[in-house]
Amino acid sequence: MAAVLEPYIYEGGIHKHTLITELLEDLGGYLIQKVPAATEVTLTMLIPRDDVHLIDELGKKLLGKLTKAPLTGTEIAVVSPTLASHHLPHSACDVAEHLRRDGANTNMIGLARGMGRRVALSADYERKLINEHDIAVFSFGTFSDCIKNKKPKLLEGVIVPKIVTGGPRDLKTEDIANADMYVGGIGRVAHRLRKSGELDSLDIMNQKVGEVVEGMREEIAKDPLAVLPPRVMKEIHEQVPQIEDVLSPAPITLQLDGLRVKLPYEEFHKKIEDLEFDEGIKLSDLARITPSKMKNYILVKIKRESEVGFTA
């Protein structure tokens, strides 16, 4: 039985941080992302549950800190009704930043039409792009009537879990058609969300998103993926060296049921499809590989064990 992997973030000095990555590899874990900044480094990792204490002990010796990151391995769309200044102020950016603190990869998406009650809708292209993510967090405004009666149109056609944020604290999830969850206290403001009440609301949002993610992981566990996304990520790094030349953040972005590979589809999809595993099988046997709606990247959606008949 495969070890249960748990998501953590290590923050510490860049000096000797390779001791952490080497131990992680020896334990059978995966390094998801490394972000160096001057003398500091941030490592996002999946660590075998029984071995977390070993990484923690080494981290303390290096004067670093290991914290649980429940959103690691997820890609979340933070959606704003438009790119106009009255819809995309500081709050949407703070929502995305706060989700990243718990390990999520986030993409900001401003819809083309959300400026008036009669034209509040999203294009088919936008819906397909949002549906490539694990979860969509919609950043709405401060008026209850607008959130209840106008904005739900923007949620139509989105099949991934939809979490709505807005200013009113008295609204309930059932008040908003098509929403899976509502989090109040995060409205449209002209300043960064730095007050204690605002930060509490962001913490509640992360907690609610974490609950949704945990539910999705439990659902996947009932019919496991044919191969773990971090294992595919590792094989891409080893077999497709061009990924090291990608300058975009998170060249390989993990999702709960797949990956987004930030290489041009036409040029590299065959290499991704022909990725070989030790078991003598190719990735194309285990996953659906299609062009992404985002910059024509490569989208990999892994099949379930029931569909393939085995796990790699």
Side-chain angles (χ1 to χ4, degrees), residues 83-284:
L83 290 172
S85 58
H86 63 282
H87 274 149
L88 193 64
H90 302 295
S91 57
C93 299
D94 286 324
V95 164
E97 180 190 335
H98 215 72
L99 291 168
R100 286 196 295 270
R101 290 184 182 183
D102 274 351
N105 272 297
T106 59
N107 293 314
M108 302 284 291
I109 299 175
L111 302 179
R113 294 164 291 178
M115 65 288 277
R117 192 180 296 271
R118 286 176 300 169
V119 289
L121 51 96
S122 56
D124 185 54
Y125 167 83
E126 293 168 338
R127 287 193 293 270
K128 287 179 179 177
L129 176 57
I130 293 169
N131 284 332
E132 287 184 2
H133 295 74
D134 292 309
I135 291 174
V137 176
F138 286 80
S139 178
F140 290 161
T142 54
F143 301 110
S144 297
D145 176 67
C146 185
I147 295 173
K148 288 194 294 184
N149 299 317
K150 168 190 163 185
K151 292 301 195 296
K153 291 181 183 178
L154 301 177
L155 309 181
E156 293 175 0
V158 177
I159 59 175
V160 298
K162 301 169 285 290
I163 297 171
V164 171
T165 67
R169 295 179 183 273
D170 57 342
L171 279 180
K172 296 182 175 62
T173 300
E174 50 267 30
D175 295 331
I176 307 165
N178 304 316
D180 295 300
M181 193 170 289
Y182 174 76
V183 181
I186 309 173
R188 187 167 63 240
V189 293
H191 61 266
R192 298 298 302 274
L193 301 179
R194 288 293 177 265
K195 298 176 182 177
S196 60
E198 294 167 343
L199 291 174
D200 289 344
S201 296
L202 289 172
D203 287 339
I204 291 171
M205 175 194 70
N206 274 26
Q207 178 189 337
K208 297 292 186 184
V209 173
E211 290 171 6
V212 173
V213 168
E214 191 56 37
M216 295 171 72
R217 284 182 173 138
E218 288 176 6
E219 189 63 32
I220 289 173
K222 294 175 184 176
D223 185 7
L225 300 176
V227 61
L228 290 175
R231 185 180 176 193
V232 178
M233 180 184 193
K234 185 169 182 276
E235 294 297 336
I236 292 174
H237 276 294
E238 291 179 358
Q239 299 184 40
V240 187
Q242 291 89 344
I243 197 69
E244 307 299 337
D245 299 326
V246 175
L247 300 178
S248 300
I252 304 173
T253 302
L254 288 191
Q255 300 176 341
L256 290 175
D257 62 349
L259 316 88
R260 189 190 306 281
V261 185
K262 295 181 180 178
L263 289 169
Y265 179 82
E266 290 83 2
E267 189 177 349
F268 289 98
H269 76 93
K270 194 77 175 84
K271 282 191 175 183
I272 300 298
E273 290 168 2
D274 292 342
L275 214 66
E276 291 191 12
F277 294 87
D278 294 338
E279 294 84 352
I281 51 178
K282 294 182 178 181
L283 182 59
S284 56

Side-chain angles (χ1 to χ4, degrees), residues 12-15 37-41:
I14 201 163
H15 178 60
T39 59
E40 302 294 311
V41 69

